[in-house]
Amino acid sequence: MSYVFDPSPVPTLGVEGEAARFPVHRVYCVGRNYAEHAREMGGDPNREPPFFFMKPADALIQAGADFPYPAQTKDVHHEIEFVAALHSGGDNIDQAHALDHVFGYGVGLDMTRRDLQAEAKKMGRPWDTAKGFDLSAPCSDLKRASTIGHPDSGRIWLTVNGETRQEGDLSDLIWSLPEMIAYLSTLFTLRAGDLIFTGTPAGVAAVQRGDVLEGGVAGVGTVRTRVV
Ligand code: MN
């Protein structure tokens, strides 16, 4: 195979304790998957099921690297999220076997231009400029499920400059990870390298240049980034 110019590099994430990296295919994100966050965004978790959107794979920021405050916004919000990474996929995966497709887990931030998202919602337009901007997805290195298991409970939290802003528990997820994988695989063919950002607990708020964001999921790890 030859190309008319060099293709873009494959986006990757680190794997804790290993030299080999995890090659990323797609980044799926789940919206309104914690009831308290659905309410703070003006939704009703009893009537509206969670839904999906995507970020480009090359929007990932490696563990610990700075988050550049993006252009065209005055209201960038943090959303701490539990991230699942797949090493296999398929269509119409059943819930009972969904976790067999999970390579491991990490902790990510679904950074959001909230003002552009509000405008998009009002106008009935897509969310890409609000959610899928360059470098909108800081993410920790991954840990293998063979090492840490498949967490379905445990604290998820985010601090800004040392002060707690977001807090929840994986057991509060409206859709469990097997439910998310099963449903997502009815919409898209899932593949090795896919990431799923599983939604954020309540407490989302604006960040400012200079803020240090640090968040984590019990038993999985932490992610840290500075807004520059
Ligand atoms: Mn999110």
Side-chain angles (χ1 to χ4, degrees), residues 46-220:
N46 298 315
R47 284 191 309 140
E48 300 165 37
F51 54 89
F52 295 99
F53 58 90
M54 281 194 250
K55 288 175 184 274
D58 66 359
L60 289 164
I61 298 180
Q62 299 301 316
D66 290 344
F67 169 77
Y69 197 94
Q72 298 281 8
T73 179
K74 292 185 169 64
D75 193 23
V76 177
H77 279 203
H78 52 72
E79 296 191 358
I80 189 75
E81 310 211 357
F82 174 53
V83 177
L86 307 188
H87 59 186
S88 58
D91 295 306
N92 302 312
I93 294 166
D94 69 86
Q95 284 185 37
H97 298 107
L99 294 180
D100 298 346
H101 297 283
V102 177
F103 167 84
Y105 297 97
V107 183
L109 282 160
D110 166 17
M111 300 303 291
T112 302
R113 284 164 162 154
R114 195 70 76 199
D115 43 2
L116 298 195
Q117 186 192 30
E119 180 76 4
K121 285 179 181 174
K122 197 170 69 188
M123 306 291 281
R125 289 178 180 160
W127 285 11
D128 301 63
T129 59
K131 289 290 198 178
F133 58 90
D134 293 342
L135 305 177
S136 58
C139 194
S140 71
D141 287 351
L142 302 174
K143 288 185 184 166
R144 286 181 179 265
S146 56
T147 307
I148 64 166
H150 296 282
D152 59 5
S153 66
R155 185 170 175 252
I156 177 170
W157 53 274
L158 177 82
T159 63
V160 178
N161 305 323
E163 199 169 299
T164 300
R165 284 267 192 94
Q166 288 190 261
E167 208 164 13
D169 195 284
L170 296 187
S171 60
D172 298 334
L173 283 166
I174 294 171
W175 281 0
S176 68
L177 184 59
E179 288 172 320
M180 285 182 252
I181 290 170
Y183 185 62
L184 195 52
S185 74
T186 69
L187 295 166
F188 302 96
T189 300
L190 297 180
R191 295 198 184 283
D194 288 341
L195 300 180
I196 303 172
F197 278 56
T198 60
T200 201
V204 300
V207 301
Q208 311 298 333
R209 286 181 184 80
D211 284 348
V212 173
L213 314 185
E214 188 162 13
V217 176
V220 177

Side-chain angles (χ1 to χ4, degrees), residues 6-75:
D6 291 339
S8 298
V10 175
T12 63
L13 289 175
V15 179
E16 196 176 83
E18 300 183 35
R21 299 184 65 81
F22 180 91
V24 178
H25 176 239
R26 290 182 181 168
V27 180
Y28 295 101
C29 302
V30 187
R32 296 189 185 173
N33 205 10
Y34 290 83
E36 280 305 315
H37 173 63
R39 284 186 203 103
E40 78 179 344
M41 296 306 294
D44 177 353
N46 298 315
R47 284 191 309 140
E48 300 165 37
F51 54 89
F52 295 99
F53 58 90
M54 281 194 250
K55 288 175 184 274
D58 66 359
L60 289 164
I61 298 180
Q62 299 301 316
D66 290 344
F67 169 77
Y69 197 94
Q72 298 281 8
T73 179
K74 292 185 169 64
D75 193 23

